[in-house]
Amino acid sequence: MPRQLVQALRDRGIDASRFQGHWTSKTNGELIRAVEADGFAVLVTNDKNIADQQSLRGRNIAVVALPHNRRRPIVERVDDIADTIRRAEPGQHVVMGLDGSRMVVRATATGPVTQAMPAVPPFDLP
């Protein structure tokens, strides 16, 4: 994610940190465990497939997947990203779509359950 996103989230009251060096070269499962062990509640990424690869069932962390990692469009939408982070609950994988959709997937004992968060305006890509 663009490094400017961290300060923009902090400006909106979100306790955000940059990607830690010791998280480099980790698989998705290792990364989720490391981020959770370091005390973070939400991992923000542009990897939309992480929920298909890693179950968040029983985890104390949520994953928010943004539709891309281009600096300007991401920073311009920081209010919607902050709102999404605030709404995300432990064990949820939230995917923000280019069209403004916000889909929530929660793993349960009987399989994934999908629901929609209220949509936000579409992302404007040049």
Side-chain angles (χ1 to χ4, degrees):
M1 296 285 79
R3 67 179 184 271
Q4 295 86 351
L5 180 60
V6 172
Q7 187 58 52
L9 288 170
R10 287 178 181 164
D11 291 345
R12 282 151 184 84
I14 304 277
D15 183 16
S17 294
R18 291 192 63 200
F19 194 83
Q20 306 293 313
H22 65 276
W23 296 341
T24 304
S25 302
K26 294 196 179 291
T27 65
N28 283 341
E30 293 169 338
L31 177 62
I32 289 169
R33 286 188 294 279
V35 169
E36 187 176 45
D38 284 355
F40 291 93
V42 179
L43 171 64
V44 179
T45 180
N46 69 323
D47 183 349
K48 291 164 250 350
N49 298 317
I50 203 167
D52 296 332
Q53 300 162 358
Q54 299 297 316
S55 174
L56 297 178
R57 186 169 167 227
R59 293 263 174 222
N60 293 320
I61 190 168
V63 174
V64 172
L66 304 182
H68 57 79
N69 63 357
R70 295 183 190 167
R71 182 183 50 82
R72 186 187 57 77
I74 289 294
V75 173
E76 286 177 354
R77 298 302 299 281
V78 70
D79 289 328
D80 293 325
I81 294 167
D83 178 67
T84 304
I85 291 169
R86 285 186 184 102
R87 290 173 181 257
E89 298 176 6
Q92 289 183 337
H93 181 255
V94 183
V95 177
M96 294 184 76
L98 283 172
D99 62 356
S101 62
R102 298 189 292 182
M103 298 305 298
V104 179
V105 178
R106 177 182 293 279
T108 68
T110 58
V113 174
T114 303
Q115 65 187 61
M117 274 187 191
V120 296
F123 281 77
D124 180 29
L125 293 180

